[in-house]
Amino acid sequence: MTADASDAVEIRNALLRLRRVTGLPVAFGGLMEAGRQMRISELSGTATDSLRSFVVTSGNGLGGKSVVLARPCVVTDYSASRQISHEYDAPVAVEGLRSVLAVPVVVRNGVRGVLYGALRTALPLGGRMLEAAVEAARDVERALEVRDEARTLAAGGGAGAGWEQVREAHTALRSLAPRIADPELRAELLEACALLTAGSSSPAGVRPAPREVDVLACVAAGATNAVAAERLGVTPETVKGYLRSAMRKLRARTRGEAVVAARRAGWLP
């Protein structure tokens, strides 16, 4: 999947979160380009431009090793480490970096980028710092997955547009159902909604409450909590409660991730 400027923004935001959570003075990263290369495009806390637009080849240096292995890699003293190759010692030395960690951003089994965090002293980087870097990478992965799905729909032309119409109809019907007083008619309408999600299966033992599906349908349509509350005839706090409950069941950390997971589980079309 081709990267764009919005993907780079996700990397930039993740680097800011990484520095804030860990206290690491330097963070940088970038996205994979065509072939086996990754370009460092985002810098946070750097003192020079030695790393800006620097191209890292898969397998070379710490980041290249992380790309090939698709897992985090750490060195305590970059220039002296025997665990990596040393094609990039010069720009690292200009920036004065010693201890460095690299965490890959992996989407659908493919590495899409790398996040780095670094110290200017040779001290171990592990535990809390590595966990925070991994979590920052997971946030980027979830955001890119949602963006990929949106691009796929857009690229689908008429078919994608038609599927979006199905989703809009599903949201409208779910929003209408609570306002129908006749229980039999309301049940028939909800059965019609269920037909729109046929073909997917929910994880064993995980079932959504009807209101959780209502809220997720509104969120999938781009509604804020306030707008969803108005559509469903409840308070914004009630919407938040149902959304939190649905996210727990789906093991989702963000609204976008919840929508993707709900579609995979067959809760939404």
Side-chain angles (χ1 to χ4, degrees):
M1 186 70 66
T2 302
D4 62 18
S6 62
D7 293 345
V9 170
E10 296 296 340
I11 295 286
R12 189 179 314 145
N13 291 338
L15 297 177
L16 292 174
R17 290 195 299 274
L18 174 59
R19 290 184 63 206
R20 183 174 64 249
V21 172
T22 64
L24 287 170
V26 179
F28 51 100
L31 295 161
M32 298 299 294
E33 297 183 333
R36 294 162 44 83
Q37 295 183 330
M38 187 272 297
R39 184 178 299 275
I40 297 174
S41 62
E42 309 303 318
L43 308 176
S44 181
T46 52
T48 73
D49 282 333
S50 66
L51 296 170
R52 187 177 299 281
S53 297
F54 201 83
V55 175
V56 175
T57 301
S58 297
N60 293 346
L62 184 68
K65 179 179 179 179
S66 182
V67 169
V68 169
L69 297 179
R71 64 173 175 79
C73 296
V74 183
V75 293
T76 300
D77 191 341
Y78 190 98
S79 63
S81 175
R82 296 182 179 180
Q83 302 172 29
I84 60 173
S85 61
H86 290 276
E87 293 85 355
Y88 312 127
D89 283 6
V92 172
V94 169
E95 185 59 39
L97 304 181
R98 301 287 297 280
S99 296
V100 185
L101 60 81
V103 179
V105 174
V106 183
V107 179
R108 295 188 179 92
N109 299 319
V111 176
R112 293 278 291 277
V114 179
L115 303 183
Y116 298 82
L119 291 170
R120 292 189 171 91
T121 53
L123 296 173
L125 292 175
R128 183 177 65 88
M129 290 185 179
L130 185 57
E131 289 175 4
V134 169
E135 190 56 39
R138 299 298 88 86
D139 287 344
V140 177
E141 291 167 2
R142 288 185 280 265
L144 294 185
E145 189 169 4
V146 171
R147 291 182 190 277
D148 285 354
E149 181 169 333
R151 290 175 188 140
T152 299
L153 287 171
W163 190 240
E164 279 304 293
Q165 290 176 347
V166 170
R167 289 173 170 171
E168 290 173 5
H170 179 267
T171 300
L173 291 172
R174 296 285 324 188
S175 299
L176 177 62
R179 300 197 291 271
I180 296 177
D182 186 327
E184 292 185 3
L185 182 57
R186 184 169 60 250
E188 289 181 12
L189 188 149
L190 291 175
E191 287 178 7
C193 286
L195 292 175
L196 298 177
T197 62
S200 299
S201 59
S202 185
V206 180
R207 294 186 177 277
R211 275 305 204 188
E212 292 171 354
V213 178
D214 294 341
V215 168
L216 285 169
C218 290
V219 170
T224 63
N225 289 345
V227 171
E230 183 177 354
R231 289 180 183 175
L232 300 174
V234 297
T235 67
E237 286 302 316
T238 299
V239 168
K240 289 180 183 178
Y242 282 122
L243 183 56
R244 282 195 296 268
S245 177
M247 289 172 67
R248 282 196 297 272
K249 291 179 180 179
L250 293 165
R251 298 181 179 178
R253 297 179 61 87
T254 66
R255 296 162 69 94
E257 184 184 355
V259 170
V260 171
R263 287 172 175 164
R264 287 178 175 170
W267 296 9
L268 297 175

